């Protein structure tokens, strides 16, 4: 239906990726982009834009965002829109 599933985990980033692989959400060929360790909205915007560019031509793509970055990103309308567009691409 044009959307991508989301997985939330309270564990390490590497564990989250392995959980997504074990659930067949990511494969070994999935192009991954990560938004990690962002402590400011500007850093989150930059990281999300970089992820969008990296994944723009991918047919099998996944986005990994750590909890701290997500907390910062959700305070910004621009970040929320970027996350939404990445999730719907």
């Amino acid at each position: 239906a044009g959307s991508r599933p989301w997985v939330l985990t309270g564990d390490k980033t590497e564990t989250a990726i392995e959980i997504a692989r074990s659930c067949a959400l990511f494969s070994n060929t999935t192009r991954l982009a990560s938004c990690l360790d962002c402590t400011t909205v500007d850093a989150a915007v930059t990281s999300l834009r970089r992820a969008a560019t990296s994944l723009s031509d991918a047919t099998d793509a996944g986005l990994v965002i750590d909890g701290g970055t997500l907390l910062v990103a959700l305070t910004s309308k621009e970040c929320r829109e970027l996350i939404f567009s990445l999730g719907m691409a």
Side-chain angles (χ1 to χ4, degrees), residues 25-69:
L25 295 174
F26 293 166
S27 71
N28 289 334
T29 59
T30 301
R31 185 184 306 172
L32 297 178
S34 298
C35 298
L36 307 172
D37 303 319
C38 297
T39 58
T40 66
V41 169
D42 287 341
V45 167
T46 298
S47 187
L48 288 164
R49 285 181 181 162
R50 190 175 303 123
T53 299
S54 171
L55 301 177
S56 66
D57 63 344
T59 56
D60 180 19
L63 177 64
V64 179
I65 306 174
D66 68 358
T69 299

